[in-house]
Amino acid sequence: MEAYAGVDACLSSIEREEDLQPAALVAANALLASRVGHHDAAEAWFNLAIDRARDVESKAALVYRSSLAMLRRGRIECIPRLEQYAELESTLCAALNATLATAYVIADRPPDAMRRAYRARDILASTERATQRTRTLYQIAYVALRTGGCEEAK
């Protein structure tokens, strides 16, 4: 908690003028709020950051991060936004599809979940960061287990 207090102090020292807050700063507020359990505030910050992001890749990254935060709490309201960004050409395409598959499992939509998990697996690039690749593969295995594909999960 002490580490977050330092980050919060830094963020608070920056002008709160709307035009002085780029998407990255707003996203930092969202991540901080999410990590300390202020989920409603985090969601509002994420939405503002997504609106302020200037390019599709940045918006996709923010949709991905905000969706992970929502899914940790079993919230599936992120599905429409994930559906929108999962179809775009993006370096996060596999991760977005795996996250959407996870959301579909939580929403009890197994056929959709498996379709997205297979899509994520098929487009997972070996050039993605190791942590991103690991999280994506974990989500694919989770979907397979939850939809009865124990062998596929292995």
PDB file of all heavy atoms in Angstrom, residues 18-24 48-60 62 85:
ATOM      1  N   GLU A  18      -8.153  18.934 -17.924  1.00  0.00           N
ATOM      2  CA  GLU A  18      -8.526  17.886 -18.867  1.00  0.00           C
ATOM      3  C   GLU A  18      -7.541  17.758 -20.021  1.00  0.00           C
ATOM      4  O   GLU A  18      -7.139  16.673 -20.394  1.00  0.00           O
ATOM      5  CB  GLU A  18      -9.929  18.164 -19.395  1.00  0.00           C
ATOM      6  CG  GLU A  18     -10.494  17.016 -20.177  1.00  0.00           C
ATOM      7  CD  GLU A  18     -11.942  17.240 -20.503  1.00  0.00           C
ATOM      8  OE1 GLU A  18     -12.734  17.507 -19.592  1.00  0.00           O
ATOM      9  OE2 GLU A  18     -12.271  17.130 -21.694  1.00  0.00           O
ATOM     10  N   ASP A  19      -7.117  18.875 -20.587  1.00  0.00           N
ATOM     11  CA  ASP A  19      -6.233  18.811 -21.748  1.00  0.00           C
ATOM     12  C   ASP A  19      -4.800  18.460 -21.381  1.00  0.00           C
ATOM     13  O   ASP A  19      -3.983  18.181 -22.242  1.00  0.00           O
ATOM     14  CB  ASP A  19      -6.277  20.122 -22.534  1.00  0.00           C
ATOM     15  CG  ASP A  19      -5.890  21.326 -21.690  1.00  0.00           C
ATOM     16  OD1 ASP A  19      -6.064  21.274 -20.458  1.00  0.00           O
ATOM     17  OD2 ASP A  19      -5.423  22.317 -22.270  1.00  0.00           O
ATOM     18  N   LEU A  20      -4.464  18.445 -20.096  1.00  0.00           N
ATOM     19  CA  LEU A  20      -3.120  18.078 -19.672  1.00  0.00           C
ATOM     20  C   LEU A  20      -3.021  16.605 -19.281  1.00  0.00           C
ATOM     21  O   LEU A  20      -1.968  16.146 -18.891  1.00  0.00           O
ATOM     22  CB  LEU A  20      -2.669  18.947 -18.489  1.00  0.00           C
ATOM     23  CG  LEU A  20      -2.508  20.436 -18.786  1.00  0.00           C
ATOM     24  CD1 LEU A  20      -2.094  21.169 -17.519  1.00  0.00           C
ATOM     25  CD2 LEU A  20      -1.494  20.669 -19.885  1.00  0.00           C
ATOM     26  N   GLN A  21      -4.106  15.882 -19.369  1.00  0.00           N
ATOM     27  CA  GLN A  21      -4.100  14.478 -18.991  1.00  0.00           C
ATOM     28  C   GLN A  21      -4.219  13.585 -20.219  1.00  0.00           C
ATOM     29  O   GLN A  21      -5.316  13.301 -20.680  1.00  0.00           O
ATOM     30  CB  GLN A  21      -5.237  14.168 -18.024  1.00  0.00           C
ATOM     31  CG  GLN A  21      -4.980  14.666 -16.630  1.00  0.00           C
ATOM     32  CD  GLN A  21      -5.967  14.062 -15.669  1.00  0.00           C
ATOM     33  OE1 GLN A  21      -7.104  13.837 -16.007  1.00  0.00           O
ATOM     34  NE2 GLN A  21      -5.509  13.790 -14.474  1.00  0.00           N
ATOM     35  N   PRO A  22      -3.085  13.139 -20.733  1.00  0.00           N
ATOM     36  CA  PRO A  22      -3.160  12.208 -21.862  1.00  0.00           C
ATOM     37  C   PRO A  22      -3.678  10.851 -21.400  1.00  0.00           C
ATOM     38  O   PRO A  22      -3.748  10.563 -20.197  1.00  0.00           O
ATOM     39  CB  PRO A  22      -1.713  12.125 -22.340  1.00  0.00           C
ATOM     40  CG  PRO A  22      -0.898  12.462 -21.142  1.00  0.00           C
ATOM     41  CD  PRO A  22      -1.733  13.436 -20.336  1.00  0.00           C
ATOM     42  N   ALA A  23      -4.021  10.017 -22.357  1.00  0.00           N
ATOM     43  CA  ALA A  23      -4.589   8.698 -22.062  1.00  0.00           C
ATOM     44  C   ALA A  23      -3.691   7.882 -21.130  1.00  0.00           C
ATOM     45  O   ALA A  23      -4.183   7.183 -20.252  1.00  0.00           O
ATOM     46  CB  ALA A  23      -4.845   7.949 -23.358  1.00  0.00           C
ATOM     47  N   ALA A  24      -2.374   7.975 -21.306  1.00  0.00           N
ATOM     48  CA  ALA A  24      -1.462   7.178 -20.474  1.00  0.00           C
ATOM     49  C   ALA A  24      -1.569   7.561 -19.001  1.00  0.00           C
ATOM     50  O   ALA A  24      -1.550   6.691 -18.121  1.00  0.00           O
ATOM     51  CB  ALA A  24      -0.026   7.340 -20.961  1.00  0.00           C
ATOM     52  N   LEU A  48     -12.466   6.683 -19.510  1.00  0.00           N
ATOM     53  CA  LEU A  48     -11.942   7.981 -19.929  1.00  0.00           C
ATOM     54  C   LEU A  48     -10.649   7.808 -20.730  1.00  0.00           C
ATOM     55  O   LEU A  48     -10.452   8.466 -21.760  1.00  0.00           O
ATOM     56  CB  LEU A  48     -11.701   8.869 -18.702  1.00  0.00           C
ATOM     57  CG  LEU A  48     -11.230  10.291 -18.965  1.00  0.00           C
ATOM     58  CD1 LEU A  48     -12.239  11.050 -19.819  1.00  0.00           C
ATOM     59  CD2 LEU A  48     -11.005  11.013 -17.640  1.00  0.00           C
ATOM     60  N   ALA A  49      -9.785   6.897 -20.281  1.00  0.00           N
ATOM     61  CA  ALA A  49      -8.525   6.659 -20.992  1.00  0.00           C
ATOM     62  C   ALA A  49      -8.796   6.114 -22.393  1.00  0.00           C
ATOM     63  O   ALA A  49      -8.144   6.534 -23.364  1.00  0.00           O
ATOM     64  CB  ALA A  49      -7.651   5.685 -20.202  1.00  0.00           C
ATOM     65  N   ILE A  50      -9.739   5.203 -22.513  1.00  0.00           N
ATOM     66  CA  ILE A  50     -10.084   4.640 -23.826  1.00  0.00           C
ATOM     67  C   ILE A  50     -10.596   5.750 -24.742  1.00  0.00           C
ATOM     68  O   ILE A  50     -10.217   5.830 -25.916  1.00  0.00           O
ATOM     69  CB  ILE A  50     -11.107   3.495 -23.680  1.00  0.00           C
ATOM     70  CG1 ILE A  50     -10.455   2.291 -23.000  1.00  0.00           C
ATOM     71  CG2 ILE A  50     -11.687   3.111 -25.044  1.00  0.00           C
ATOM     72  CD1 ILE A  50     -11.431   1.252 -22.484  1.00  0.00           C
ATOM     73  N   ASP A  51     -11.433   6.623 -24.209  1.00  0.00           N
ATOM     74  CA  ASP A  51     -11.948   7.738 -25.014  1.00  0.00           C
ATOM     75  C   ASP A  51     -10.831   8.675 -25.463  1.00  0.00           C
ATOM     76  O   ASP A  51     -10.885   9.218 -26.565  1.00  0.00           O
ATOM     77  CB  ASP A  51     -12.982   8.538 -24.220  1.00  0.00           C
ATOM     78  CG  ASP A  51     -14.287   7.788 -24.036  1.00  0.00           C
ATOM     79  OD1 ASP A  51     -14.518   6.791 -24.756  1.00  0.00           O
ATOM     80  OD2 ASP A  51     -15.076   8.185 -23.147  1.00  0.00           O
ATOM     81  N   ARG A  52      -9.819   8.859 -24.624  1.00  0.00           N
ATOM     82  CA  ARG A  52      -8.738   9.792 -24.940  1.00  0.00           C
ATOM     83  C   ARG A  52      -7.625   9.193 -25.789  1.00  0.00           C
ATOM     84  O   ARG A  52      -6.824   9.939 -26.353  1.00  0.00           O
ATOM     85  CB  ARG A  52      -8.134  10.340 -23.656  1.00  0.00           C
ATOM     86  CG  ARG A  52      -9.075  11.267 -22.954  1.00  0.00           C
ATOM     87  CD  ARG A  52      -8.364  12.099 -21.977  1.00  0.00           C
ATOM     88  NE  ARG A  52      -9.327  12.956 -21.329  1.00  0.00           N
ATOM     89  CZ  ARG A  52      -9.071  13.658 -20.267  1.00  0.00           C
ATOM     90  NH1 ARG A  52      -7.877  13.607 -19.724  1.00  0.00           N
ATOM     91  NH2 ARG A  52      -9.994  14.414 -19.735  1.00  0.00           N
ATOM     92  N   ALA A  53      -7.548   7.890 -25.842  1.00  0.00           N
ATOM     93  CA  ALA A  53      -6.482   7.257 -26.629  1.00  0.00           C
ATOM     94  C   ALA A  53      -6.597   7.684 -28.081  1.00  0.00           C
ATOM     95  O   ALA A  53      -7.698   7.765 -28.631  1.00  0.00           O
ATOM     96  CB  ALA A  53      -6.560   5.743 -26.489  1.00  0.00           C
ATOM     97  N   ARG A  54      -5.457   7.939 -28.698  1.00  0.00           N
ATOM     98  CA  ARG A  54      -5.468   8.509 -30.046  1.00  0.00           C
ATOM     99  C   ARG A  54      -5.393   7.486 -31.158  1.00  0.00           C
ATOM    100  O   ARG A  54      -5.671   7.800 -32.304  1.00  0.00           O
ATOM    101  CB  ARG A  54      -4.322   9.499 -30.175  1.00  0.00           C
ATOM    102  CG  ARG A  54      -4.539  10.694 -29.283  1.00  0.00           C
ATOM    103  CD  ARG A  54      -3.519  11.750 -29.526  1.00  0.00           C
ATOM    104  NE  ARG A  54      -3.838  12.900 -28.693  1.00  0.00           N
ATOM    105  CZ  ARG A  54      -2.993  13.824 -28.383  1.00  0.00           C
ATOM    106  NH1 ARG A  54      -1.761  13.755 -28.830  1.00  0.00           N
ATOM    107  NH2 ARG A  54      -3.361  14.822 -27.628  1.00  0.00           N
ATOM    108  N   ASP A  55      -4.984   6.265 -30.851  1.00  0.00           N
ATOM    109  CA  ASP A  55      -4.866   5.276 -31.921  1.00  0.00           C
ATOM    110  C   ASP A  55      -5.510   3.962 -31.489  1.00  0.00           C
ATOM    111  O   ASP A  55      -5.735   3.724 -30.308  1.00  0.00           O
ATOM    112  CB  ASP A  55      -3.400   5.061 -32.313  1.00  0.00           C
ATOM    113  CG  ASP A  55      -2.556   4.593 -31.143  1.00  0.00           C
ATOM    114  OD1 ASP A  55      -2.535   3.379 -30.892  1.00  0.00           O
ATOM    115  OD2 ASP A  55      -1.928   5.452 -30.487  1.00  0.00           O
ATOM    116  N   VAL A  56      -5.806   3.137 -32.461  1.00  0.00           N
ATOM    117  CA  VAL A  56      -6.527   1.887 -32.228  1.00  0.00           C
ATOM    118  C   VAL A  56      -5.725   0.943 -31.332  1.00  0.00           C
ATOM    119  O   VAL A  56      -6.290   0.289 -30.457  1.00  0.00           O
ATOM    120  CB  VAL A  56      -6.877   1.200 -33.573  1.00  0.00           C
ATOM    121  CG1 VAL A  56      -7.487  -0.160 -33.351  1.00  0.00           C
ATOM    122  CG2 VAL A  56      -7.816   2.077 -34.363  1.00  0.00           C
ATOM    123  N   GLU A  57      -4.433   0.874 -31.533  1.00  0.00           N
ATOM    124  CA  GLU A  57      -3.593  -0.018 -30.730  1.00  0.00           C
ATOM    125  C   GLU A  57      -3.647   0.364 -29.245  1.00  0.00           C
ATOM    126  O   GLU A  57      -3.760  -0.500 -28.375  1.00  0.00           O
ATOM    127  CB  GLU A  57      -2.150   0.014 -31.241  1.00  0.00           C
ATOM    128  CG  GLU A  57      -1.261  -1.049 -30.666  1.00  0.00           C
ATOM    129  CD  GLU A  57      -1.546  -2.445 -31.205  1.00  0.00           C
ATOM    130  OE1 GLU A  57      -2.113  -2.577 -32.292  1.00  0.00           O
ATOM    131  OE2 GLU A  57      -1.194  -3.403 -30.502  1.00  0.00           O
ATOM    132  N   SER A  58      -3.604   1.648 -28.957  1.00  0.00           N
ATOM    133  CA  SER A  58      -3.698   2.116 -27.573  1.00  0.00           C
ATOM    134  C   SER A  58      -5.072   1.812 -26.986  1.00  0.00           C
ATOM    135  O   SER A  58      -5.188   1.382 -25.841  1.00  0.00           O
ATOM    136  CB  SER A  58      -3.432   3.622 -27.487  1.00  0.00           C
ATOM    137  OG  SER A  58      -2.124   3.913 -27.894  1.00  0.00           O
ATOM    138  N   LYS A  59      -6.105   2.048 -27.773  1.00  0.00           N
ATOM    139  CA  LYS A  59      -7.462   1.740 -27.317  1.00  0.00           C
ATOM    140  C   LYS A  59      -7.600   0.246 -27.036  1.00  0.00           C
ATOM    141  O   LYS A  59      -8.175  -0.158 -26.020  1.00  0.00           O
ATOM    142  CB  LYS A  59      -8.494   2.178 -28.350  1.00  0.00           C
ATOM    143  CG  LYS A  59      -8.699   3.682 -28.416  1.00  0.00           C
ATOM    144  CD  LYS A  59      -9.740   4.037 -29.468  1.00  0.00           C
ATOM    145  CE  LYS A  59      -9.887   5.521 -29.630  1.00  0.00           C
ATOM    146  NZ  LYS A  59     -10.556   6.196 -28.536  1.00  0.00           N
ATOM    147  N   ALA A  60      -7.049  -0.593 -27.923  1.00  0.00           N
ATOM    148  CA  ALA A  60      -7.123  -2.046 -27.737  1.00  0.00           C
ATOM    149  C   ALA A  60      -6.414  -2.464 -26.456  1.00  0.00           C
ATOM    150  O   ALA A  60      -6.912  -3.306 -25.704  1.00  0.00           O
ATOM    151  CB  ALA A  60      -6.519  -2.759 -28.944  1.00  0.00           C
ATOM    152  N   LEU A  62      -5.978  -0.681 -23.776  1.00  0.00           N
ATOM    153  CA  LEU A  62      -6.780  -0.231 -22.636  1.00  0.00           C
ATOM    154  C   LEU A  62      -8.039  -1.076 -22.463  1.00  0.00           C
ATOM    155  O   LEU A  62      -8.448  -1.375 -21.337  1.00  0.00           O
ATOM    156  CB  LEU A  62      -7.126   1.246 -22.784  1.00  0.00           C
ATOM    157  CG  LEU A  62      -5.925   2.184 -22.628  1.00  0.00           C
ATOM    158  CD1 LEU A  62      -6.259   3.570 -23.150  1.00  0.00           C
ATOM    159  CD2 LEU A  62      -5.464   2.229 -21.179  1.00  0.00           C
ATOM    160  N   TYR A  85     -13.000  -4.949 -30.421  1.00  0.00           N
ATOM    161  CA  TYR A  85     -11.556  -4.853 -30.609  1.00  0.00           C
ATOM    162  C   TYR A  85     -10.890  -6.179 -30.954  1.00  0.00           C
ATOM    163  O   TYR A  85      -9.799  -6.189 -31.517  1.00  0.00           O
ATOM    164  CB  TYR A  85     -10.903  -4.223 -29.374  1.00  0.00           C
ATOM    165  CG  TYR A  85     -11.134  -2.741 -29.340  1.00  0.00           C
ATOM    166  CD1 TYR A  85     -12.250  -2.199 -28.705  1.00  0.00           C
ATOM    167  CD2 TYR A  85     -10.271  -1.870 -29.983  1.00  0.00           C
ATOM    168  CE1 TYR A  85     -12.490  -0.837 -28.709  1.00  0.00           C
ATOM    169  CE2 TYR A  85     -10.501  -0.511 -29.999  1.00  0.00           C
ATOM    170  CZ  TYR A  85     -11.609  -0.005 -29.353  1.00  0.00           C
ATOM    171  OH  TYR A  85     -11.833   1.340 -29.374  1.00  0.00           O
TER     172      TYR A  85
END
